Amino acid sequence: MSQNDLIKEIVFIADEQYEAPGFAWGISVAYLLALGAAEILTTFVSPLPGMILYGLILVALLVQSAIGARKRMHHFLVILSIVPLIRLLAMTVPLGNIDPIYWYLLIGILFSVVIFVIARLTGLKGGTIGLRITRNDLPLQLLIGLTGFGIGLVGYLILRPNPFLPNFSWGYYLLTVLILLVFAGQLQEIIFRGLLQISTAQILGPFGILYVALVFSLLYLGFHSFWFFLLMFLVGLAFGVIAARTRSLVGVSISHGLANISLFLMFPLLMA
């Protein structure tokens, strides 16, 4: 008996269960609720119990993906593990005296490596997840990208954040714009609307877009605003539909990056 068969026997999981739609729904909803509970603990109670729960979720996802390594849910479980990993890294990587923008850069580089490894493990290539564009698609994708300014304005009116750059300089400003555009925009879209949405659609069908939007919006509970959480859910839903219809992440990646730039840089400076 193999190690995987032994684990399945201990937890009473049969091979055919992995192929059953009800089992897939039950597992995906259970992980969604667990992620929500972990984020609520982290945000509203204490980071430590939230970190512990996120760690348990990460271990559970990796173990279960190993058990069903040749099953339909394998890609979903492996890719979903990125979400608790995001939160664990965000809470455990020491900031010290590091400038916040360089912290974004450091985390972005780490997750670029994680995305590359998971893409290789799951066999999902750039074209499959939407990292492509044609000359005919370019005007539409740029138009989609410009919606980021509107999203950023609505987000600013809800949160009213202080200027991200207290001491303005053009060089530092442009560097911050580039980092937010690439690491806070494109990488998140590759994770959520690319890898996770495609893998979720394989087990939940069209409801995969809704599922990913809920997971995406959970990560914004830390802003302590129901309206901002709702905005991010609606944005995640819209981005999911757009990415699925256009089969491209270019427009939503630009929009996500511009939303971050306008929310944390442009409007705080203009309105200050």
Side-chain angles (χ1 to χ4, degrees):
M1 180 181 293
S2 69
Q3 185 177 8
N4 283 353
D5 292 335
L6 179 61
I7 296 174
K8 283 186 281 189
E9 184 175 319
I10 292 172
V11 297
F12 307 106
I13 298 175
D15 282 341
E16 57 270 16
Q17 283 186 273
Y18 279 100
E19 301 297 331
F23 185 79
W25 271 96
I27 290 295
S28 58
V29 171
Y31 279 120
L32 176 65
L33 294 175
L35 289 169
E39 191 59 30
I40 289 172
L41 282 174
T42 302
T43 302
F44 300 106
V45 181
S46 173
L48 182 58
M51 286 175 59
I52 293 172
L53 183 52
Y54 270 125
L56 292 174
I57 294 169
L58 178 60
V59 171
L61 284 165
L62 295 177
V63 169
Q64 193 171 16
S65 67
I67 294 173
R70 292 181 296 276
K71 303 301 179 182
R72 188 172 55 179
M73 287 190 66
H74 173 65
H75 289 179
F76 168 75
L77 295 168
V78 172
I79 294 169
L80 188 62
S81 68
I82 299 177
V83 177
L85 187 59
I86 289 173
R87 297 301 288 126
L88 287 171
L89 281 177
M91 290 186 285
T92 56
V93 173
L95 281 174
N97 296 321
I98 298 176
D99 191 305
I101 197 60
Y102 296 118
W103 181 82
Y104 274 110
L105 178 61
L106 174 62
I107 294 296
I109 292 172
L110 289 174
F111 272 100
S112 296
V113 176
V114 171
I115 290 170
F116 175 79
V117 171
I118 287 182
R120 292 294 298 271
L121 288 174
T122 57
L124 294 174
K125 301 184 183 298
T128 306
I129 64 174
L131 291 177
R132 61 182 182 82
I133 190 171
T134 64
R135 184 178 298 179
N136 293 333
D137 294 334
L138 185 58
L140 175 61
Q141 296 300 324
L142 291 177
L143 187 62
I144 293 169
L146 292 175
T147 61
F149 290 114
I151 297 169
L153 176 60
V154 175
Y156 174 77
L157 294 175
I158 294 172
L159 294 180
R160 297 283 181 172
N162 293 321
F164 194 73
L165 304 178
N167 300 314
F168 180 84
S169 70
W170 277 110
Y172 189 71
Y173 186 87
L174 293 175
L175 175 62
T176 305
V177 166
L178 181 62
I179 291 173
L180 289 178
L181 190 62
V182 174
F183 292 109
Q186 186 178 38
L187 278 185
Q188 285 198 31
E189 291 309 309
I190 290 173
I191 292 171
F192 289 99
R193 256 60 64 177
L195 295 170
L196 186 56
Q197 184 164 298
I198 288 175
S199 64
T200 307
Q202 293 174 352
I203 62 170
L204 301 183
F207 290 99
I209 294 175
L210 176 63
Y211 186 90
V212 174
L214 285 169
V215 174
F216 173 73
S217 58
L218 284 176
L219 299 184
Y220 291 91
L221 284 175
F223 286 93
H224 296 270
S225 169
F226 168 78
W227 296 110
F228 192 68
F229 166 79
L230 179 61
L231 173 65
M232 290 299 99
F233 169 70
L234 295 175
V235 167
L237 206 58
F239 280 4
V241 172
I242 291 169
R245 292 288 180 86
T246 64
R247 297 184 179 180
S248 175
L249 296 179
V250 175
V252 294
S253 295
I254 295 172
S255 180
H256 194 149
L258 291 179
N260 287 325
I261 291 165
S262 55
L263 170 59
F264 296 111
L265 292 180
M266 190 176 75
F267 288 119
L269 287 173
L270 291 176
M271 306 290 190

